[in-house]
Amino acid sequence: MRDEAAPVLDVKDLKTVFRVRGGEVHAVNSVSFDLRPGELLGVVGESGSGKSVTMMSLLGLLPSPPAEVREGTVMLGDRDLLKVDEDTLRNIRGGDIGFVFQDPMTSLNPVFTVGFQIMEPLRAHMGMTKAQARDRSVELLDLVGIPDARRRLKDFPHQFSGGMRQRVMIAIALACNPKVLIADEPTTALDVTIQAQILELVKDLRQKLGMAIIWITHDLGVIAGIADRVMVMYGGQVVEQGPVKELFADPAHPYTRALLQTMPKLHGTRDEKLRVIEGQPPMLGQHPTSCPFRDRCAHSFERCATENPQRRPLGDNHDVACHWDHREEQV
């Protein structure tokens, strides 16, 4: 059972569109989820499913225009992040919510030292003096496993390896003791050894600091190892969500099943081919009025073409948006 404490983050019916030449792209369609204190929520789905756009919508990180958050509420405590002014939102970013981006080389400013970039949010959000911010920066670099931290404050991003730059990004995100940490595929550009080190670091930090984490990835193996709960996205919608062990053992949505089947098998044979999901992701030029997965689904039927399924409960904290009943293997 999940912790029944009040959610630290509660998102309801979030809709985001991009205005483009000739029309609109409906990138996020009525996405709802919550996040409890100390919980790690994994968000999975193929490229273009809406994972990153959803999370960037929460914090006003999308350029407007062309992006427009059209509907929804994003409650952080008693504040709706979609209604606060820009100054308040700027204080929340890096203060109450930390964000780790995918590529640390493009996220870190190459012309400023690492120390300056860690100290900046400490002075802006926590009112520290330069000396206090420097001492706290040393603590943060020590926390994320960078040796000789005080000396390395003077180094520039290009003087760090890819894995070390990602640790610096995590240190910056943790600087102001955020309630929520959002990590957007932070290990994608790293080799598997460094990826494993970053994952162990996140597990350790979560245990020490007790923060809630949203981990965006396309790697189901990563989610299996670190998440409490999984949210599967497709076509800008949440198609299934539930506890990680239950969802992996008994996936209810055909897309979730297809994703799991594409994972390489530990005991597979040399001649066994990797599975793929046939077909193409949906075009998002209109608000969906049918199931976005129907053209790629082996279980679709007439209703799927005329009605976009709503999420329905399957058990404790597990729901699915699908007309097909996977338990009866029939509609």
Side-chain angles (χ1 to χ4, degrees), residues 185-202:
E185 304 205 41
T187 60
T188 297
L190 307 177
D191 66 54
V192 292
T193 303
I194 304 302
Q195 181 183 84
Q197 292 174 5
I198 296 296
L199 293 174
E200 284 301 315
L201 170 64
V202 170

mmCIF file of all heavy atoms in Angstrom, residues 185-202:
data_model
loop_
_atom_site.group_PDB
_atom_site.id
_atom_site.type_symbol
_atom_site.label_atom_id
_atom_site.label_comp_id
_atom_site.label_asym_id
_atom_site.label_seq_id
_atom_site.Cartn_x
_atom_site.Cartn_y
_atom_site.Cartn_z
ATOM 1 N N GLU A 185 15.718 11.656 -17.907
ATOM 2 C CA GLU A 185 16.661 10.752 -18.568
ATOM 3 C C GLU A 185 18.109 11.154 -18.280
ATOM 4 O O GLU A 185 18.909 11.342 -19.207
ATOM 5 C CB GLU A 185 16.395 10.707 -20.077
ATOM 6 C CG GLU A 185 14.962 10.301 -20.401
ATOM 7 C CD GLU A 185 14.828 9.670 -21.780
ATOM 8 O OE1 GLU A 185 15.695 8.881 -22.164
ATOM 9 O OE2 GLU A 185 13.835 9.973 -22.459
ATOM 10 N N PRO A 186 18.484 11.254 -17.006
ATOM 11 C CA PRO A 186 19.808 11.800 -16.680
ATOM 12 C C PRO A 186 20.964 10.866 -16.973
ATOM 13 O O PRO A 186 22.120 11.286 -16.905
ATOM 14 C CB PRO A 186 19.705 12.055 -15.168
ATOM 15 C CG PRO A 186 18.720 11.043 -14.688
ATOM 16 C CD PRO A 186 17.712 10.909 -15.796
ATOM 17 N N THR A 187 20.708 9.592 -17.282
ATOM 18 C CA THR A 187 21.809 8.656 -17.532
ATOM 19 C C THR A 187 21.883 8.204 -18.988
ATOM 20 O O THR A 187 22.699 7.352 -19.326
ATOM 21 C CB THR A 187 21.665 7.413 -16.634
ATOM 22 O OG1 THR A 187 20.418 6.751 -16.909
ATOM 23 C CG2 THR A 187 21.700 7.789 -15.162
ATOM 24 N N THR A 188 21.041 8.780 -19.859
ATOM 25 C CA THR A 188 20.958 8.312 -21.247
ATOM 26 C C THR A 188 22.290 8.426 -21.984
ATOM 27 O O THR A 188 22.678 7.540 -22.740
ATOM 28 C CB THR A 188 19.876 9.098 -22.004
ATOM 29 O OG1 THR A 188 18.616 8.826 -21.390
ATOM 30 C CG2 THR A 188 19.812 8.686 -23.460
ATOM 31 N N ALA A 189 23.011 9.526 -21.772
ATOM 32 C CA ALA A 189 24.244 9.766 -22.538
ATOM 33 C C ALA A 189 25.474 9.128 -21.899
ATOM 34 O O ALA A 189 26.584 9.314 -22.391
ATOM 35 C CB ALA A 189 24.461 11.272 -22.677
ATOM 36 N N LEU A 190 25.282 8.356 -20.821
ATOM 37 C CA LEU A 190 26.413 7.802 -20.089
ATOM 38 C C LEU A 190 26.577 6.316 -20.375
ATOM 39 O O LEU A 190 25.601 5.623 -20.672
ATOM 40 C CB LEU A 190 26.206 8.013 -18.578
ATOM 41 C CG LEU A 190 25.920 9.450 -18.136
ATOM 42 C CD1 LEU A 190 25.660 9.494 -16.643
ATOM 43 C CD2 LEU A 190 27.071 10.373 -18.509
ATOM 44 N N ASP A 191 27.815 5.817 -20.254
ATOM 45 C CA ASP A 191 28.013 4.381 -20.457
ATOM 46 C C ASP A 191 27.437 3.619 -19.259
ATOM 47 O O ASP A 191 27.132 4.197 -18.211
ATOM 48 C CB ASP A 191 29.494 4.055 -20.687
ATOM 49 C CG ASP A 191 30.371 4.331 -19.472
ATOM 50 O OD1 ASP A 191 30.067 3.816 -18.382
ATOM 51 O OD2 ASP A 191 31.371 5.055 -19.612
ATOM 52 N N VAL A 192 27.285 2.308 -19.422
ATOM 53 C CA VAL A 192 26.522 1.531 -18.437
ATOM 54 C C VAL A 192 27.171 1.540 -17.052
ATOM 55 O O VAL A 192 26.474 1.493 -16.036
ATOM 56 C CB VAL A 192 26.315 0.085 -18.923
ATOM 57 C CG1 VAL A 192 25.379 0.055 -20.116
ATOM 58 C CG2 VAL A 192 27.646 -0.583 -19.275
ATOM 59 N N THR A 193 28.500 1.599 -16.992
ATOM 60 C CA THR A 193 29.171 1.617 -15.697
ATOM 61 C C THR A 193 28.872 2.901 -14.948
ATOM 62 O O THR A 193 28.523 2.891 -13.754
ATOM 63 C CB THR A 193 30.701 1.471 -15.886
ATOM 64 O OG1 THR A 193 30.966 0.266 -16.599
ATOM 65 C CG2 THR A 193 31.405 1.424 -14.546
ATOM 66 N N ILE A 194 28.978 4.035 -15.643
ATOM 67 C CA ILE A 194 28.688 5.327 -15.020
ATOM 68 C C ILE A 194 27.201 5.428 -14.703
ATOM 69 O O ILE A 194 26.804 5.969 -13.661
ATOM 70 C CB ILE A 194 29.127 6.487 -15.939
ATOM 71 C CG1 ILE A 194 30.616 6.362 -16.285
ATOM 72 C CG2 ILE A 194 28.847 7.823 -15.273
ATOM 73 C CD1 ILE A 194 31.527 6.345 -15.085
ATOM 74 N N GLN A 195 26.349 4.887 -15.585
ATOM 75 C CA GLN A 195 24.915 4.878 -15.336
ATOM 76 C C GLN A 195 24.605 4.167 -14.026
ATOM 77 O O GLN A 195 23.816 4.661 -13.203
ATOM 78 C CB GLN A 195 24.189 4.185 -16.487
ATOM 79 C CG GLN A 195 22.673 4.145 -16.329
ATOM 80 C CD GLN A 195 21.997 3.384 -17.454
ATOM 81 O OE1 GLN A 195 21.889 2.163 -17.409
ATOM 82 N NE2 GLN A 195 21.549 4.102 -18.468
ATOM 83 N N ALA A 196 25.228 3.022 -13.804
ATOM 84 C CA ALA A 196 25.008 2.265 -12.566
ATOM 85 C C ALA A 196 25.443 3.076 -11.349
ATOM 86 O O ALA A 196 24.775 3.058 -10.300
ATOM 87 C CB ALA A 196 25.757 0.945 -12.627
ATOM 88 N N GLN A 197 26.538 3.819 -11.481
ATOM 89 C CA GLN A 197 27.010 4.643 -10.367
ATOM 90 C C GLN A 197 26.016 5.760 -10.042
ATOM 91 O O GLN A 197 25.749 6.045 -8.870
ATOM 92 C CB GLN A 197 28.377 5.238 -10.702
ATOM 93 C CG GLN A 197 29.494 4.219 -10.788
ATOM 94 C CD GLN A 197 30.806 4.836 -11.255
ATOM 95 O OE1 GLN A 197 30.904 6.057 -11.436
ATOM 96 N NE2 GLN A 197 31.826 4.009 -11.448
ATOM 97 N N ILE A 198 25.463 6.395 -11.088
ATOM 98 C CA ILE A 198 24.488 7.470 -10.871
ATOM 99 C C ILE A 198 23.220 6.921 -10.220
ATOM 100 O O ILE A 198 22.648 7.541 -9.308
ATOM 101 C CB ILE A 198 24.154 8.177 -12.201
ATOM 102 C CG1 ILE A 198 25.399 8.879 -12.775
ATOM 103 C CG2 ILE A 198 23.007 9.168 -12.017
ATOM 104 C CD1 ILE A 198 25.932 10.006 -11.923
ATOM 105 N N LEU A 199 22.773 5.751 -10.643
ATOM 106 C CA LEU A 199 21.579 5.143 -10.057
ATOM 107 C C LEU A 199 21.796 4.816 -8.587
ATOM 108 O O LEU A 199 20.908 5.035 -7.756
ATOM 109 C CB LEU A 199 21.184 3.881 -10.832
ATOM 110 C CG LEU A 199 20.689 4.107 -12.264
ATOM 111 C CD1 LEU A 199 20.461 2.779 -12.973
ATOM 112 C CD2 LEU A 199 19.412 4.933 -12.272
ATOM 113 N N GLU A 200 22.965 4.286 -8.264
ATOM 114 C CA GLU A 200 23.275 4.001 -6.861
ATOM 115 C C GLU A 200 23.337 5.294 -6.053
ATOM 116 O O GLU A 200 22.907 5.350 -4.897
ATOM 117 C CB GLU A 200 24.606 3.245 -6.758
ATOM 118 C CG GLU A 200 24.513 1.789 -7.153
ATOM 119 C CD GLU A 200 23.510 1.023 -6.303
ATOM 120 O OE1 GLU A 200 23.514 1.194 -5.063
ATOM 121 O OE2 GLU A 200 22.702 0.260 -6.879
ATOM 122 N N LEU A 201 23.874 6.344 -6.665
ATOM 123 C CA LEU A 201 23.932 7.646 -5.997
ATOM 124 C C LEU A 201 22.526 8.146 -5.679
ATOM 125 O O LEU A 201 22.258 8.611 -4.559
ATOM 126 C CB LEU A 201 24.659 8.652 -6.895
ATOM 127 C CG LEU A 201 24.602 10.119 -6.453
ATOM 128 C CD1 LEU A 201 25.310 10.303 -5.122
ATOM 129 C CD2 LEU A 201 25.220 11.015 -7.525
ATOM 130 N N VAL A 202 21.609 8.043 -6.660
ATOM 131 C CA VAL A 202 20.237 8.521 -6.445
ATOM 132 C C VAL A 202 19.552 7.712 -5.346
ATOM 133 O O VAL A 202 18.855 8.269 -4.484
ATOM 134 C CB VAL A 202 19.438 8.457 -7.763
ATOM 135 C CG1 VAL A 202 17.962 8.707 -7.509
ATOM 136 C CG2 VAL A 202 19.985 9.478 -8.748
#
